[in-house]
Amino acid sequence: MAEVLVYVDHVDGAVRKPTLELLTLARRLGEPVAVALGNGAADTAAALAEHGAVKVLTHDASEYADYLVVPKVDALQAAHEAVSPAAVLVPSSAEGKEIAARLALRIGSGIITDAVDLEAGDEGPVATQSVFAASYSTKTRVIKGTPVITVKPNSAAVEAAPAAGAVEALSVSFSAQATGTKVTGRTPRESTGRPELTEAAIVVSGGRGVNGADNFAIIEALADSLGAAVGASRAAVDAGWYPHTNQVGQTGKSVSPQLYIANGISGAIQHRAGMQTSKTIVAVNKDAEAPIFELVDFGVVGDLFDVVPQLTDEVKARKG
Amino acid sequence: MSLRIVVTVKYVPDATGDRHFADDLTVDRDDVDGLLSELDEYAVEQALQIAENADDAEVTVLTVGPEDAKDALRKALSMGADKAIHVEDDDLHGTDAIGTSLVLAKAIEKAGYDLVISGMASTDGTMGVVPALVAERLGVPQVTLLSEVSVEDGVVTGRRDGDAASEQLQAQLPAIVSVTDQSGEARYPSFKGIMAAKKKPVESWDLSDLDIEAEEVGLDGAFTKVETATERPARTAGTIVKDEGEGGKQLAEFLAGQKFI
Ligand SMILES: Cc1cc2nc3c(=O)[nH]c(=O)nc-3n(C[C@H](O)[C@H](O)[C@H](O)COP(=O)(O)OP(=O)(O)OC[C@H]3O[C@@H](n4cnc5c(N)ncnc54)[C@H](O)[C@@H]3O)c2cc1C
Ligand SMILES: Cc1cc2nc3c(=O)[nH]c(=O)nc-3n(C[C@H](O)[C@H](O)[C@H](O)COP(=O)(O)OP(=O)(O)OC[C@H]3O[C@@H](n4cnc5c(N)ncnc54)[C@H](O)[C@@H]3O)c2cc1C
């Protein structure tokens, strides 16, 4: 059976959820071979094996942390040469897309980014993309070389599928370009204790209607009652009420949760671009004409300062 | 020596218009107004600021696109760029990201450069990969997705806010930079700027000027193929209630019915 390379996104050996989703998709195309790089690479093996990786190729070197993107491209290219896979799958993070693109160019392949689904086809994998702010859905194929495809979080379920997950050392020699861009400092994000925005099953967002940084406590309280991540519109972020890392939309994060709750958000096209593929959408807005109501499964026309706290209390009461 | 800055700008269909696909599954450019991709205005802005802080610098804006893409160049020139290059050729129709990066890389080399500045992503394709591809082709450092950028003594530094961490980056020129919409508001063209732009030089190059064969680009040269494009059905109209004191409870009832609570 053909092998499929899966690039592993992990933090010091802890595999992030989108990579496990990639394994589900990779199993539709062949046998997943994972590539884990950098500090803790070998520690990823157990989780990857549990979800279907037949092999885990690992390599650690200081270059992965000290220089931008290119060392990882060198390693993935080495893995591609070693395995001759039927496809290469990479999580659709900003960095993942850059790594995938450079790899594709080097190996003479095409690249598809931000796939939301993947199926095996007669002529190779067929990717589904959600484009033009999710108003169109396209089916796309790479027609030259080994398909290189990046996949968005929440595009497939995480499935248990125990496999060997044998760890093998990958041999990598870095290219002349590898040390071109030096990382001279790194400030890790502070953890909020809430789920990762792009991975969360529920996202509760606030917009300009929240009207102040302190008022975001209302949004956070609802999020915490549901075990949700917190998002924000660009208007709220630009006003300095909430960090940019939580921005949902075209220039922020793209989310596709089971449930999206928009509070005091009008529903501009650039915001919709980041949340329109959510399974269920709910909104609270005092303007009955707000475009967000065109998307909702359930909407409340009202003041969020009345509706949201009442909802939070009710959720808490029902959860006991 | 003068600092040569090339800014890559894309001409895109207006995102607030009703965008759709043409029969050959490329972007329909006839029914929707086009404009300079808003995210590339940030690239122009940073280029102008870097140029203003340099002893001697020249800002060239470069686009690969159809005839009307001149509008995007005019806008960038009216913001303050010095000159423009328009790569236009019928054989470019349907070019994908790999092909676009080839054309841009060849044009950048022909123009001559110390620093290339791009946007974080286009507002139509939204891939966010072209700057990395151009860096790979030119064999120079990629210093991408910066929210803060500066150039001093032939070194570019900047801050990249990633998922897990915020990173401080550094590279020697020549280099390829891309900037995000967090890098600082883009200026509006002044009346004077708009008038001055009319006199600024716009060069037109075609594929033969860049020694690129027609088969390397366009739909025929593409590495990817769109098989189908279907308009998503409008979401089925949901239930909308007016809050008369029970709105939060009604919403909770809905969420419970959907098993979210
Ligand atoms: C290139 C580009 C990229 C962009 N990227 C993004 C992006 O990534 N993400 C993003 O979000 N935007 C983005 N935008 C901005 C976008 O166009 C909108 O300006 C933005 O989404 C508006 O945010 P908002 O809905 O919070 O504010 P508004 O549009 O001002 O809406 C506020 C809403 O709150 C309601 N409201 C006010 N008070 C209350 C109350 N007490 N109770 C209930 N409702 C209330 C109002 O009725 C209104 O509908 C981008 C724009 C451009 C040009
Ligand atoms: C909906 C849609 C989906 C697509 N999907 C794919 C796909 O999966 N694979 C694929 O190979 N192609 C795809 N394409 C084609 C691709 O968008 C174009 O080839 C495009 O020129 C490069 O990608 P981008 O616009 O996403 O650029 P990005 O990588 O998002 O652009 C980043 C920056 O590069 C510069 N830049 C990009 N294009 C130009 C240009 N023409 N002239 C000057 N500067 C430019 C700008 O500075 C821009 O801000 C898609 C196009 C559309 C409309």
Side-chain angles (χ1 to χ4, degrees), chain A residues 144-166:
Chain A
K144 287 183 196 159
T146 311
V148 179
I149 301 170
T150 78
V151 182
K152 280 194 178 186
N154 280 344
S155 295
V158 173
E159 290 170 6

Side-chain angles (χ1 to χ4, degrees), chain B:
Chain B
M1 214 189 82
S2 161
L3 179 70
R4 296 164 302 168
I5 306 175
V6 177
V7 187
T8 61
V9 299
K10 191 178 185 189
Y11 178 75
V12 298
D14 187 348
T16 57
D18 189 12
R19 293 177 294 181
H20 48 261
F21 287 89
D23 291 341
D24 66 353
L25 300 181
T26 61
V27 179
D28 184 346
R29 293 178 179 268
D30 294 336
D31 291 352
V32 183
D33 285 343
L35 70 160
L36 166 62
S37 176
E38 281 150 314
L39 294 172
D40 290 344
E41 290 181 22
Y42 296 93
V44 175
E45 176 62 36
Q46 290 309 311
L48 294 174
Q49 289 190 20
I50 289 168
E52 282 156 11
N53 291 328
D55 292 338
D56 181 20
E58 183 177 57
V59 178
T60 303
V61 287
L62 165 66
T63 195
V64 176
E67 163 96 60
D68 293 344
K70 287 218 167 45
D71 293 355
L73 295 175
R74 283 283 164 226
K75 169 101 189 253
L77 290 172
S78 62
M79 288 172 72
D82 300 302
K83 59 187 180 89
I85 297 167
H86 184 186
V87 182
E88 186 193 357
D89 198 307
D90 289 345
D91 289 325
L92 281 168
H93 178 78
T95 305
D96 65 3
I98 297 282
T100 300
S101 71
L102 172 68
V103 180
L104 284 173
K106 292 259 191 178
I108 289 163
E109 266 182 329
K110 185 173 158 81
Y113 71 104
D114 301 299
L115 176 64
V116 177
I117 308 188
S118 301
M120 63 188 288
S122 72
T123 58
D124 60 346
T126 72
M127 295 177 74
V129 300
V130 166
L133 287 169
V134 170
E136 175 72 34
R137 286 192 185 272
L138 295 175
V140 302
Q142 116 175 35
V143 198
T144 46
L145 300 172
L146 303 183
S147 320
E148 231 174 60
V149 58
S150 62
V151 173
E152 217 165 320
D153 300 330
V155 175
V156 53
T157 53
R159 195 184 81 236
R160 171 170 163 127
D161 296 326
D163 269 355
S166 177
E167 292 168 334
Q168 208 63 41
L169 304 180
Q170 187 184 68
Q172 295 283 335
L173 297 185
I176 311 294
V177 160
S178 77
V179 296
T180 73
D181 63 337
Q182 299 292 300
S183 59
E185 270 314 301
R187 66 193 67 186
Y188 286 103
S190 64
F191 179 69
K192 216 175 111 205
I194 293 168
M195 296 314 287
K198 296 192 168 141
K199 299 198 200 75
K200 290 178 178 171
V202 179
E203 267 189 77
S204 273
W205 294 346
D206 63 13
L207 288 175
S208 64
D209 291 318
L210 299 175
D211 292 323
I212 297 172
E213 301 294 328
E215 307 83 68
E216 295 179 78
V217 294
L219 277 177
D220 291 342
F223 287 73
T224 49
K225 181 166 190 283
V226 181
E227 306 265 11
T228 60
T230 34
E231 201 159 0
R232 268 173 92 93
R235 292 184 79 104
T236 42
T239 312
I240 310 235
V241 300
K242 195 170 177 328
D243 178 35
E244 316 221 305
E246 299 281 299
K249 288 188 181 150
Q250 286 168 287
L251 188 42
E253 189 59 41
F254 170 79
L255 295 181
Q258 301 285 315
K259 307 265 183 288
F260 287 115
I261 312 178

Side-chain angles (χ1 to χ4, degrees), chain A residues 206-210 232-236 247-252 263-271 284-287 290 302-305, chain B residues 38-39 42 123 181:
Chain A
R208 200 194 304 274
V210 175
S233 74
R234 179 157 118 177
Q247 181 176 316
V248 172
Q250 189 183 350
T251 54
N263 302 288
I265 293 176
S266 63
I269 186 83
Q270 296 90 353
H271 188 79
V284 178
N285 193 304
K286 66 181 183 190
D287 175 10
D303 192 324
L304 71 90
F305 295 99
Chain B
E38 281 150 314
L39 294 172
Y42 296 93
T123 58
D181 63 337

